[in-house]
Amino acid sequence: MGKVTFEQVRQDPEVRAYIVKANEMLAAIGFTEHGLRHVGLVADRAMGLMAELDRPPRLRELAGIAALLHDIGNIVNRQGHGQTSALLAHHILSRMGMAPEEIAIIMSAIGNHEEEIGNPVHDVSAALILADKSDVHRTRVYNRDVATFDIHDRVNYAVTHSELHAFPAEKVIRLSLTVDTSIIAIMEYFEIFLSRMIMCRRAAAHLGCQFQLVMNENRLL
């Protein structure tokens, strides 16, 4: 079996169709964006973290592939989408000829990316968790009627810039956000994302780092 590349998975028609249709399903029930933009950004961040932490190139690529596939299970249902995504990933990657040992890494990363039941079980898993939970930004909000925003809309819309980077010399992974505090109070971010930040802290610890959250240049965690 040859190595299946990130670019092969990104360009695969079945993968792209599932990502697009899963996003349409979530939009229909009022969720924020989970489409090609989201998975592309998560892939870039997951691979970037692995590179900044000097992990082997193939593990970096596996993190990117896991990121591309981590939300495709939403085409079935939002509930349990991590496990469904992992099973769909198995089908896709087996068809493409990926080695079972690598499929196992990707499946376990995808199946553990949600804070309700997930854990950072290895480096690829930890990178996916941090990259996924760091994607908070106003471009994810489909609703354009500010008067009808729920708290998830408000929090995402209030974030105008976000960055995620590892600083290995300091043993720190830092999520930096620029937040429009005329839209939300900072406490509202923690009201809905506290469990995500706790999961990010566990994921960073698995990678040998401390997790830091910085908002408007003020460190909060």
Side-chain angles (χ1 to χ4, degrees):
M1 293 184 178
K3 286 186 177 179
V4 175
T5 68
F6 172 81
E7 192 60 26
Q8 284 177 299
V9 177
R10 191 178 73 85
Q11 295 294 345
D12 186 80
E14 184 179 8
V15 169
R16 296 182 72 84
Y18 288 175
I19 294 169
V20 169
K21 290 301 181 182
N23 187 49
E24 290 176 2
M25 188 281 287
L26 289 182
I29 58 175
F31 275 76
T32 53
E33 185 264 339
H34 284 72
L36 292 169
R37 173 214 156 273
H38 171 64
V39 300
L41 177 68
V42 174
D44 285 345
R45 288 186 172 179
M47 291 189 291
L49 278 182
M50 295 288 271
E52 289 168 346
L53 294 169
D54 199 29
R55 294 314 195 257
R58 185 55 180 167
L59 281 186
R60 302 174 200 175
E61 191 162 37
L62 292 181
I65 293 170
L68 289 176
L69 301 175
H70 79 281
D71 273 343
I72 58 174
N74 284 308
I75 59 172
V76 178
N77 198 285
R78 178 64 180 172
Q79 186 171 359
H81 78 277
Q83 287 66 49
T84 309
S85 297
L87 295 175
L88 287 170
H90 175 273
H91 160 77
I92 292 165
L93 298 174
S94 295
R95 167 177 59 79
M96 297 179 76
M98 180 177 280
E101 294 81 5
E102 293 190 339
I103 295 175
I105 292 171
I106 290 172
M107 288 181 68
S108 55
I110 293 172
N112 277 282
H113 83 271
E114 284 299 294
E115 59 266 27
E116 294 86 358
I117 56 173
N119 290 285
V121 292
H122 46 62
D123 285 4
V124 170
S125 169
L128 175 59
I129 288 167
L130 286 155
D132 181 42
K133 305 316 173 193
S134 71
D135 186 18
V136 186
H137 196 269
R138 65 173 41 183
T139 53
R140 299 195 70 183
V141 180
Y142 285 129
N143 183 4
R144 292 301 176 221
D145 184 359
V146 177
T148 64
F149 276 5
D150 64 14
I151 188 169
H152 287 85
D153 291 334
R154 286 201 313 277
V155 169
N156 277 280
Y157 194 77
V159 179
T160 59
H161 183 74
S162 70
E163 291 185 1
L164 179 71
H165 290 290
F167 301 90
E170 305 171 39
K171 295 188 176 180
V172 163
I173 294 174
R174 183 178 298 131
L175 173 59
S176 299
L177 304 176
T178 302
V179 180
D180 185 343
T181 55
S182 70
I183 298 174
I184 64 164
I186 296 299
M187 186 55 67
E188 288 185 277
Y189 181 92
F190 289 99
E191 185 176 337
I192 62 171
F193 288 153
L194 179 59
S195 61
R196 295 186 186 185
M197 296 300 97
I198 292 171
M199 193 179 198
C200 285
R201 186 174 64 186
R202 297 205 315 267
H206 180 90
L207 293 167
C209 294
Q210 176 188 15
F211 177 70
Q212 293 183 356
L213 174 64
V214 175
M215 286 189 184
N216 298 343
E217 300 184 351
N218 296 307
R219 180 181 166 188
L220 303 181
L221 290 176

